[in-house]
Amino acid sequence: MKIISKLCLIAVVAFGIMQCQPKESAEVQQTLTEEEILNESEQAFNERMEWWREAKFGLFIHWGPYAVPAGVHDGQEIEGIGEWIMDRAEIPVSEYEEYARQFNPEQYDAEEWVKIAKDAGMKYIIITSKHHDGFGLWDSEVSDYDAVDFAAIEQDLLADLKKAADKHDIKLGFYYSIMDWHHPNAQAPHYPDYNTDEKSNPNFDQYVENYMKPQLKELVEKYDPAVLWFDGEWIPEWTHEHGVETYTWLRQMKPDLIINNRVDVGRQGMQGMNEEGGEFVGDFGTPEQEILESTREFDWEACMTMNDTWGYKKNDDNWKSAETLIHNLVDIASKGGNYLLNVGPTAEGLIPQASVDRLAKMGDWMEVNSEAIYETERLQHSFKEGENIRYTKQKGDSVFYGILLEQPGETISFSVLRPDEGSEVKLLGYDEPLKWEFGEDEGLALQVPDEVRENTDFGPAWVFKVQGSEVES
Ligand code: FHN
């Protein structure tokens, strides 16, 4: 939440005057000052975040040369997440580059990926443009270590995805790793084969100014991403000053860009939120592999895998059920967060079938119930009741959703919902209104027809829609 300062009031007035200017001068003045960016008004921030907050559900894609070994190197199964194989197996750069040369996703179909995401009910995609291994999935002018100049595919993979995303009205964002295991100046190299002077004396600021920022500039200018999702900010070389400078520089380049909190150094580990009271830049928190226990004032997005790895591993079949994934989506939405659910495509360019199947089941549920997720807000006082009820509401204060995460019994009680007198209470996907009673002490009590109780198709989350108000518990 941005604190409104006196300065920003001036900026808002100036902005108002600017709107009355002829178009060319308004465009020229559109470049925000650092002061305006760091003191963005709450209204401007809310306008910039609106589509993202309404979207609720996005696809995370971890894809790159690590999908070639797919968790196995020199015949050994390498423990841990697949995209870290270079580090976990201590593969020297020159040896890992062989995987990059072999990267040849001939079955890659960007439009198929976008349709899988859209049919699942996802509104945006975040793909690794460059992960820690330093390999770029686009045609970078700054580096030859990319899909066009180095890999067998010789294709600008991000350009194809951008075209498909635009065609299907899906927002596209890029993950970009600050940590870079390939660039000699990025950090003290791990690997024995770095043996030139330049590499033996890394100059991190050279990497930032002459490599990282030029790459970010070309990503923004060539593909107009809606989001930049930074990662790898934990390396000692990356500072709060780097974060603030990069954030303001990017927002001056693209004022409506949304940038996560990992551009700065305030993130508290995998819990993903900035330490309280710190003045860190970044527009949303990034809990990883976990869902916050409760609601937060600060925007947040939980990023999670479907199995145990982000990048593809051929032997990781520890898949979460579609029921778990749908319950996660409901739980996150009830707390006011976004769900960024990951897939790790194969080296051939295919999303694993187990992921495709789960996304299709999520889409079937969203087909009937998405109004309880998209553009919803958390309730004023309660987001849950017991372990198996979550609540969301439409903007405004008159339409609420009581969402049951287990098979309903003969009656259901939503103690925080008060239906309007004479209003209908419906189960989404079921035509008949349900019988209900309301008591100030008990709250709303619903009668559940046998045909609903016996039909699991309404699950794995049963959404009850109530026109009314929230009972302050
Ligand atoms: O090290 C990365 C990891 O490979 C993966 O990209 C996750 C996803 O957010 N982020 C970092 C681990 O926190």
Side-chain angles (χ1 to χ4, degrees):
M1 182 75 79
K2 301 288 181 186
I3 296 163
I4 295 181
S5 70
K6 289 192 181 68
L7 260 180
C8 126
L9 208 55
I10 298 165
V12 168
V13 171
F15 190 76
I17 293 167
M18 177 180 80
Q19 291 308 297
C20 309
Q21 301 292 334
K23 189 161 170 40
E24 56 284 346
S25 67
E27 271 172 3
V28 169
Q29 289 170 19
Q30 211 164 21
T31 304
L32 302 171
T33 65
E34 181 172 332
E35 199 57 47
E36 286 168 332
I37 288 169
L38 296 177
N39 290 281
E40 184 179 30
S41 71
E42 191 167 348
Q43 179 190 341
F45 180 62
N46 290 338
E47 285 168 5
R48 184 160 62 89
M49 294 297 287
E50 187 179 26
W51 75 261
W52 184 89
R53 290 171 177 163
E54 291 180 350
K56 296 292 180 197
F57 190 23
L59 181 70
F60 210 175
I61 302 176
H62 276 71
W63 196 36
Y66 38 80
V68 174
V72 179
H73 177 67
D74 281 351
Q76 296 291 317
E77 182 74 36
I78 305 300
E79 289 305 308
I81 43 185
E83 69 285 0
W84 271 72
I85 194 166
M86 182 176 169
D87 183 84
R88 294 284 155 77
E90 293 202 354
I91 305 172
V93 168
S94 52
E95 193 176 333
Y96 185 85
E97 286 178 346
E98 283 316 302
Y99 286 135
R101 288 189 207 285
Q102 295 165 33
F103 188 54
N104 191 17
E106 290 177 320
Q107 296 182 61
Y108 171 55
D109 178 341
E111 187 158 12
E112 180 60 22
W113 286 15
V114 170
K115 284 193 284 192
I116 288 169
K118 185 161 190 170
D119 292 348
M122 295 164 154
K123 295 283 189 178
Y124 63 101
I125 294 173
I126 306 293
I127 185 169
T128 51
S129 63
K130 186 200 82 165
H131 203 265
H132 309 332
D133 62 4
F135 184 82
L137 293 188
W138 76 102
D139 185 12
S140 173
E141 306 305 318
V142 183
S143 164
D144 285 343
Y145 196 49
D146 66 39
V148 170
D149 300 310
F150 202 92
I153 186 73
E154 295 180 358
Q155 186 179 334
D156 186 325
L157 303 167
L158 296 189
D160 298 341
L161 192 61
K162 172 64 178 171
K163 189 174 162 200
D166 287 350
K167 178 177 174 182
H168 293 277
D169 195 24
I170 292 288
K171 297 271 190 187
L172 180 64
F174 297 138
Y175 167 114
Y176 187 91
S177 176
I178 294 163
M179 176 167 75
D180 186 311
W181 295 331
H182 185 268
H183 196 285
N185 271 330
Q187 64 170 344
H190 288 295
Y191 306 107
D193 77 341
Y194 269 141
N195 51 22
T196 65
D197 289 345
E198 188 198 15
K199 293 180 181 177
S200 62
N201 178 24
N203 181 326
F204 188 74
D205 282 335
Q206 284 288 323
Y207 159 73
V208 172
E209 288 308 316
N210 301 336
Y211 189 84
M212 182 180 136
K213 288 175 70 175
Q215 282 206 322
L216 290 171
K217 187 167 187 290
E218 62 183 2
L219 284 170
V220 170
E221 291 180 346
K222 289 175 84 167
Y223 309 105
D224 191 30
V227 178
L228 278 182
W229 210 101
F230 284 92
D231 204 8
E233 86 287 4
W234 56 81
I235 55 174
E237 296 88 350
W238 188 256
T239 65
H240 171 60
E241 289 68 29
H242 282 124
V244 173
E245 199 277 327
T246 303
Y247 179 87
T248 50
W249 171 73
L250 285 166
R251 291 280 324 286
Q252 285 176 322
M253 203 187 318
K254 188 178 182 338
D256 64 350
L257 185 65
I258 293 176
I259 302 170
N260 74 344
N261 68 339
R262 300 189 188 188
V263 69
D264 202 343
V265 296
R267 169 172 69 119
Q268 302 298 288
M270 305 296 258
Q271 178 262 12
M273 303 303 283
N274 289 342
E275 62 187 81
E276 295 292 322
E279 278 300 303
F280 299 103
V281 291
D283 302 318
F284 61 91
T286 51
E288 179 168 325
Q289 300 288 41
E290 61 180 77
I291 297 169
L292 297 185
E293 279 304 308
S294 182
T295 61
R296 288 298 179 88
E297 283 310 308
F298 196 74
D299 290 287
W300 59 279
E301 170 195 76
C303 60
M304 303 178 85
T305 56
M306 277 194 212
N307 50 7
D308 293 328
T309 179
W310 303 92
Y312 178 64
K313 288 185 82 173
K314 63 185 78 166
N315 298 324
D316 180 338
D317 289 319
N318 187 27
W319 301 100
K320 298 172 184 72
S321 67
E323 174 176 317
T324 296
L325 300 175
I326 290 168
H327 287 182
N328 285 349
L329 176 60
V330 169
D331 184 32
I332 290 166
S334 73
K335 295 167 182 171
N338 281 21
Y339 189 24
L340 188 65
L341 181 57
N342 184 76
V343 295
T346 66
E348 295 69 29
L350 299 173
I351 296 175
Q353 193 56 47
S355 299
V356 173
D357 295 344
R358 283 153 179 79
L359 290 171
K361 286 181 181 158
M362 294 187 85
D364 292 342
W365 185 85
M366 285 291 273
E367 188 76 31
V368 174
N369 299 289
S370 63
E371 68 174 87
I373 303 292
Y374 295 145
E375 301 185 38
T376 59
E377 297 172 333
R378 54 187 172 83
L379 273 61
Q380 191 68 33
H381 306 291
S382 317
F383 66 87
K384 67 182 282 193
E385 182 169 353
E387 287 314 304
N388 289 308
I389 289 176
R390 298 295 184 271
Y391 292 107
T392 63
K393 71 178 182 70
Q394 286 184 8
K395 291 180 179 177
D397 275 326
S398 65
V399 179
F400 296 81
Y401 300 95
I403 306 172
L404 186 64
L405 301 181
E406 61 181 356
Q407 186 102 19
E410 289 182 15
T411 61
I412 300 170
S413 166
F414 293 122
S415 64
V416 303
L417 299 184
R418 175 194 290 108
D420 289 342
E421 197 70 38
S423 67
E424 287 189 346
V425 175
K426 301 287 284 286
L427 168 67
L428 297 188
Y430 183 66
D431 294 336
E432 298 306 314
L434 304 178
K435 292 193 180 77
W436 61 269
E437 292 173 347
F438 178 80
E440 283 303 329
D441 296 334
E442 309 77 20
L444 170 62
L446 284 178
Q447 305 299 320
V448 181
D450 292 350
E451 62 187 299
V452 168
R453 266 207 327 280
E454 288 148 15
N455 179 351
T456 56
D457 290 350
F458 293 106
W462 285 255
V463 179
F464 298 87
K465 184 174 183 177
V466 177
Q467 170 85 30
S469 57
E470 180 181 1
V471 175
E472 193 172 334
S473 53

